[in-house]
Amino acid sequence: MDQALIQKIRNIGIVAHIDAGKTTTTERILFFTGITHKMGEVHDGQAVMDFMKQEQERGITISSAAITTHWRDNQINIIDTPGHIDFTLEVERSLRVLDGIAMVFCAVGGVEPQSETVWHQADRYKVPRIAFINKMDRQGADFEHTITMMNDMLGANALPFQLPMGEETAFEGMIDLITRKAFTFNELEITAADIPPAYKEKVEKLRDELVARLADFDDSLMEKYLDGKPISIEDIKHAARHAVLNINITPVFCGSAFKNKGIQPLLDAIVDFLPSPVDRGLITGLDYANPEKTISRKPSSKNPFSSLAFKIITDPFVGQQTFIRVYSGELKAGSYIYNSTKDRKERIGRILRVHASTREEVAEVKAGDIVALVGMKYTTTGDTLCDEEHPIILESIHYPETVLDLRIEPASKNEREKLSVALSKVALEDPSFRAHFDEETEETVISGMGELHLEIVVDRLKTEHKVDVIVGEPSVAFRETITGEVEHKYRYKKQTGGKGQFAEIEFRIEPNAGGGIEFVDHVRGGNIPREYIPAVEKGFRGTVEKGLLAGFPMVDVRFVLLDGSYHAVDSSEMAFRICTQQAMREIIHKAAPHLLEPMMKLEVNTPDEYMGDIISDITRRRGKIENMRRHRKGSQKVTGLVPLMEMFGYASGLRTLSSGRANFSMEFLNYSPLPKAIEEKVIAIQIEKKKAS
């Protein structure tokens, strides 16, 4: 019975490039499944899933909202995700906990830059998917070309499961290739009928191709197909489901969400082809007692409880809500739970099933479900919550680097404390956002994924948290690193009137490519007492956090403590910490330090006639063109690498160059060494800033 109920759960995400219409698609799904009785539109700020004020004003989805609905006796937990690249973490953390996705493409735009990003994120988490080609009623809609783009650009192995009847303004419905039924729509009504004679020949041809392709992944279907035996609807659906679960194919459906066309067949496809938690199978994690060993949990209520916290929202009425995906076991309201990531116990206050902006309180939650918990004190995004008797640590969520800094300060000194509280709440909800106080300049620095990301954070500080802030100019988040290896011995000795200070360390610093900041203790024989080693590590980590070349955090540095000495009376933790800090400052220039700048992957879609100007402009911005390919008739897609510091104001520059007809997308790729001449300028600017402050 337990498995039969879990088999009827679908945890899905609606994902797409910005403006492909995924929030409208989700709104229609909620309407047709009876969750809402009035259709919300994105353009009039009434979308149910967009419940943050900034989302309603801008017509974009920022926060992935979880919502539960039902279709054909199945429970569907939907997570609506943002399409803008600045909110890529929202998509990332959603994919980590989903079982399947419905990918929305615009029939006019086809595969756009963010579609590719999300597709590759889904590949990383091995998430099965189906595709919905939306906006079939728009001028320039091209169903077949979009499928070709999916195969060429994404390697999607996309197969049409429907054939549209008409395109652009003549779009009236679609034909299901499996059931051979034609669907037409009148307002909210869907009508199933026989295939119109004009489409019969094409339907049979496409259906035969579909069966032949599915037979590659199903032996029994292959046998029937080769022997010329009758093939039932169930045979095709069974083979298609198997192929989707193994990510062998991407079934393609079509419609116009805004005109209420194609939503019910899409819901049928979600239930028929996307996986349940049972289909996704075992979840593996690390054994708490022995992190070298992996253990697994079955998606069953009878297994010990395990779940992952994937999102935190602070609500003015309910307080902090922690969204979790339950992988195994069951949890009752009022019970205790173990946070194995933080090694803390938490008490569950209430369990809420969330319908976007409304909530339903439930007494318990079982394997496969997505709910919000109220009452969590220590849990943050990416933490594992589990049964204390059977602890497990699940794989956390990958966080991208922040690339842009913005200096802000409260409008009045009285609001400094209020700003600090507001920033810690925003950082808790959004791990791709960071904030720190620069003691030298006495300014607060916030860091994020892009200009829009930080703009919305500032907006939220003003509207949600009622903190008036003065905002500076955005600046690039540079990093520092070293390329050389240095060994050094340093003694710190200070004699004051009373007790003195003494510490001596011998150490090596070296590049640690891709390994982050690492501290290694090689001291043997008690030359430095064990209690002082953490002070050396603190001194090292504190120094690299502030940077030694130009005040930017350091990356990829290994510190190896080799030896040292101490004084029985004058040595202290403080002495060893200061000793380490001063030693690092003394030798940093011998380790060949470099500044690193964020490099962005840039994609520009442009009509042919502007190609030359756009490429010249990218080159002028120190960009490197990697690829140019035909996007669709009369337009090209240019991809390349550009330094973020050269891209401020690019949106308006591109508009001017292309008379507003080109568009672009940009995402962080990696950190790369700055050219020497530019590095010297950046360092000089930082020195001037320090003098001024």
Side-chain angles (χ1 to χ4, degrees), residues 554-582:
M554 297 188 83
V555 293
D556 295 344
V557 179
R558 184 188 284 117
F559 182 104
V560 183
L561 183 60
L562 301 167
D563 206 353
S565 62
Y566 75 107
H567 187 280
V569 177
D570 291 349
S571 285
S572 64
E573 283 184 29
M574 174 74 82
F576 273 96
R577 203 151 108 192
I578 294 169
C579 176
T580 308
Q581 289 168 342
Q582 292 187 357

Side-chain angles (χ1 to χ4, degrees), residues 352-368:
L352 304 176
R353 197 179 296 291
V354 180
H355 305 301
S357 54
T358 61
R359 308 164 193 84
E360 168 203 354
E361 200 162 328
V362 291
E364 64 177 3
V365 60
K366 296 186 186 230

Side-chain angles (χ1 to χ4, degrees), residues 78 129 172 198 234 295 310 420 433 443 456 517 568 604 632:
I78 303 172
R129 61 214 83 156
E172 53 177 334
E234 281 63 41
I295 51 177
F310 70 95
S420 174
F433 166 79
E443 289 174 307
I456 284 173
I517 299 299
V604 182
R632 57 175 51 246

Side-chain angles (χ1 to χ4, degrees), residues 610-680:
Y610 306 112
M611 273 287 284
D613 290 345
I614 284 167
I615 288 169
S616 301
D617 184 55
I618 292 170
T619 310
R620 186 180 60 76
R621 293 172 187 267
R622 292 195 289 123
K624 289 190 185 96
I625 304 297
E626 286 193 319
N627 196 2
M628 288 180 278
R629 64 183 175 213
R630 175 76 43 212
H631 181 52
R632 57 175 51 246
K633 196 176 176 187
S635 75
Q636 305 245 15
K637 172 183 281 215
V638 183
T639 57
L641 297 180
V642 286
L644 178 64
M645 72 179 296
E646 306 290 348
M647 297 303 285
F648 289 107
Y650 185 65
S652 57
L654 184 66
R655 258 198 310 274
T656 306
L657 280 176
S658 67
S659 306
R661 291 176 62 201
N663 60 60
F664 79 102
S665 168
M666 201 166 61
E667 64 176 301
F668 171 72
L669 185 70
N670 58 23
Y671 273 96
S672 181
L674 258 177
K676 204 73 196 150
I678 298 173
E679 179 179 88
E680 285 166 6

Side-chain angles (χ1 to χ4, degrees), residues 363-383:
E364 64 177 3
V365 60
K366 296 186 186 230
D369 221 337
I370 289 177
V371 290
L373 305 179
V374 178
M376 303 274 105
K377 286 184 180 168
Y378 313 107
T379 301
T380 54
T381 302
D383 287 0

Side-chain angles (χ1 to χ4, degrees), residues 8 22 29 31 166 169 212 226 267 321 355 373 410 421 496 632:
K8 286 185 170 289
K22 68 192 167 307
I29 286 173
F31 180 83
T169 51
L226 293 175
L267 278 161
Q321 298 173 75
H355 305 301
L373 305 179
V421 171
T496 50
R632 57 175 51 246

